[in-house]
């Protein structure tokens, strides 16, 4: 059943999440700044304390001005964290013919005709195409039930779990069955995972997708599967036909 033409369902973290960030982060920052300034003399006297010179200098400054200033700086730092957290929130807007995903000022639109299945994989929202390749994988703290309701309300093929989950294999370097170049990319991605280089991890995931390899992470371990566009040496492209919950 489709929603009314032109209707949309928007899923965000909601006002409560914003209230926690904008009320909690500045308050916690102010409290931390106040405590550090108030305890500067005691910390400076500890023989094992780091940056003792800084705390000793703080302890010599006039009170209560230094404590008030430290609290203000802490609140400012908390406000900056809240600003970054607000920008990083994912907003999903679902319509009958397309879905829009917005984060940090960037927007991605995906047409309904391109999508074979939608599901939540742990904390990731995933959209797959007809070949089983990933059109979208976005980290999301959004409520799974709200996402399911929004997509189903507009006739999108939502699945309650990854229909390809059983096809994943643990990656071990040199393991056969991968397209040419995939093993080198997975080695580079493993290194990026270990070093927590998130931009490199995402970019290499996209490169793997172009040659027909989907990768998912469990901790620092990589699991992979092939899509319908994958071509192995001396083999025809694979075929994938996932079962989709169309309720």
């Amino acid at each position: 059943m489709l929603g009314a033409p032109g209707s949309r369902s928007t899923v965000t973290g909601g006002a409560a999440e914003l209230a926690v960030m904008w009320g909690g982060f500045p308050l916690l920052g102010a409290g931390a700044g106040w405590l550090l300034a108030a305890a500067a003399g005691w910390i400076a006297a500890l023989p094992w304390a780091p940056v003792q010179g800084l705390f000793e200098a703080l302890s010599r400054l006039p009170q209560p001005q230094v404590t008030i200033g430290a609290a203000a700086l802490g609140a400012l730092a908390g406000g900056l964290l809240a600003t970054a957290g607000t920008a990083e929130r994912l907003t999903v807007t679902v319509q009958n013919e397309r879905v829009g995903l917005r984060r940090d000022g960037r927007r991605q639109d995906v047409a309904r005709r391109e999508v074979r299945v939608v599901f939540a994989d742990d904390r990731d929202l995933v959209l797959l195409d007809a070949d089983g390749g990933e059109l979208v994988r976005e980290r999301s703290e959004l409520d799974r039930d709200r996402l399911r309701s929004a997509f189903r309300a507009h006739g999108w093929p939502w699945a309650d779990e990854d229909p390809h989950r059983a096809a994943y294999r643990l990656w071990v370097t040199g393991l056969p069955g991968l397209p040419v170049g995939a093993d080198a990319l997975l080695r580079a991605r493993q290194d990026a995972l270990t070093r927590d280089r998130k931009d490199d991890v995402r970019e290499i995931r996209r490169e793997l997708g172009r040659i027909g390899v989907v990768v998912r992470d469990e901790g620092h371990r990589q699991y992979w599967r092939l899509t319908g566009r994958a071509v192995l040496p001396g083999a025809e492209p694979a075929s994938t036909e996932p079962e989709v919950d169309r309720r």
Side-chain angles (χ1 to χ4, degrees):
M1 181 178 179
L2 294 178
S7 65
R8 62 184 63 196
S9 301
T10 300
V11 184
T12 69
E17 184 181 87
L18 286 174
V20 169
M21 284 194 293
W22 285 99
F25 287 177
L27 186 62
L28 287 172
W34 182 86
L35 283 173
L36 285 174
W42 176 74
I43 295 173
L46 297 174
W48 48 264
V51 291
Q52 283 181 297
L54 173 62
F55 286 107
E56 187 175 350
L58 281 175
S59 69
R60 295 195 184 113
L61 294 175
Q63 292 286 1
Q65 292 91 333
V66 66
T67 303
I68 293 172
L73 286 174
L76 177 61
L80 293 174
L81 282 175
T83 300
T86 300
E88 280 295 311
R89 294 200 321 162
L90 178 67
T91 299
V92 179
T93 304
V94 188
Q95 298 175 272
N96 291 352
E97 299 300 327
R98 65 181 58 251
V99 60
L101 300 99
R102 181 167 53 83
R103 187 200 299 274
D104 199 17
R106 301 186 304 272
R107 181 180 176 91
Q108 180 180 5
D109 289 306
V110 182
R112 167 66 184 84
R113 65 179 180 274
E114 299 176 15
V115 178
R116 170 73 175 178
V117 62
V118 186
F119 61 94
D121 181 19
D122 192 14
R123 292 188 297 164
D124 292 345
L125 175 64
V126 183
L127 280 66
L128 300 183
D129 63 20
D131 286 328
E134 290 182 350
L135 294 166
V136 169
R137 178 177 282 271
E138 281 285 347
R139 179 53 54 95
S140 165
E141 302 293 341
L142 298 176
D143 182 77
R144 184 184 298 241
D145 291 336
R146 291 179 61 201
L147 285 169
R148 179 194 299 113
S149 297
F151 279 100
R152 285 183 172 171
H154 294 273
W156 289 67
W158 177 274
D160 285 328
E161 61 180 16
D162 185 350
H164 298 284
R165 191 173 185 90
Y168 283 93
R169 301 170 61 188
L170 176 65
W171 173 74
V172 179
T173 184
L175 189 72
L178 284 164
V180 174
D183 193 65
L185 286 169
L186 285 164
R187 285 199 304 270
R189 192 173 183 274
Q190 184 66 61
D191 182 65
L193 277 172
T194 303
R195 297 171 183 269
D196 199 29
R197 296 164 61 179
K198 296 179 181 178
D199 290 342
D200 291 344
V201 169
R202 284 192 294 268
E203 181 59 32
I204 298 171
R205 178 193 291 279
R206 286 192 288 268
E207 289 298 320
L208 286 163
R210 291 187 182 102
I211 60 174
V213 179
V214 175
V215 60
R216 67 188 306 274
D217 303 319
E218 293 186 12
H220 287 291
R221 294 182 298 178
Q222 299 183 103
Y223 291 79
W224 62 273
R225 67 171 174 84
L226 300 180
T227 72
R229 67 177 62 94
V231 179
L232 302 180
E236 294 296 324
S239 175
T240 59
E241 286 295 331
E243 295 181 3
V244 178
D245 180 357
R246 296 183 178 278
R247 290 177 297 169

